[in-house]
Amino acid sequence: QLQLVESGGGLAQPGESLRLSCVVPSILKFNTLAWFRQAPGKEREWVGDIRKDGETRYNSSMKGRFFISKNYDKDTMFLQMNDLKPEDTAVYYCNVLGSKFWGPGTQVIVPS
């Protein structure tokens, strides 16, 4: 059973930055890793993903502010979030794209 674990969430003021981490055991095995988020009362939405070759894709509403990277040595994927806005408030999850493997999530709060 693969266990993903996110960390790095917290409270940030508008305009600030946060970096989320997701530990992905044996990260080299997986083709595409993704970040999703779920805001209160809303459906989970795709934030972006990173392929094995390092190519990234982003939700258009976050493109230019959010950046995904990974570190093979640390079996970790990152989500750098810049210029945070209140609408970024959500629980953020990492996922092996298309799989049933999800982390428990990490909460990000950006007050208005």
Side-chain angles (χ1 to χ4, degrees):
Q1 181 75 8
L2 181 66
Q3 291 189 327
L4 310 180
V5 181
E6 304 93 341
S7 62
L11 177 67
Q13 297 301 313
E16 292 185 343
S17 298
L18 282 175
R19 188 175 81 156
L20 307 183
S21 300
C22 173
V23 175
V24 184
S26 302
I27 193 170
L28 277 172
K29 288 169 43 178
F30 304 107
N31 286 326
T32 304
L33 302 172
W35 285 97
F36 288 78
R37 71 183 186 184
Q38 187 165 18
K42 295 187 177 181
E43 292 188 356
R44 191 172 295 189
E45 69 173 337
W46 172 76
V47 172
D49 55 49
I50 184 165
R51 291 180 8 175
K52 185 175 281 190
D53 63 3
E55 183 176 342
T56 53
R57 301 182 302 171
Y58 298 96
N59 185 312
S60 59
S61 67
M62 302 154 213
K63 194 172 183 179
R65 295 192 300 123
F66 288 12
F67 301 93
I68 299 173
S69 61
K70 54 186 175 178
N71 183 317
Y72 289 123
D73 291 340
K74 297 182 178 180
D75 275 353
T76 302
M77 176 177 62
F78 302 99
L79 177 64
Q80 177 68 39
M81 305 187 296
N82 300 325
D83 190 24
L84 284 163
K85 305 176 185 300
E87 53 263 40
D88 296 319
T89 294
V91 178
Y92 286 74
Y93 301 90
C94 60
N95 168 249
V96 177
L97 192 64
S99 80
K100 63 180 179 179
F101 301 116
W102 295 84
T106 185
Q107 175 79 58
V108 172
I109 298 174
V110 186
S112 55

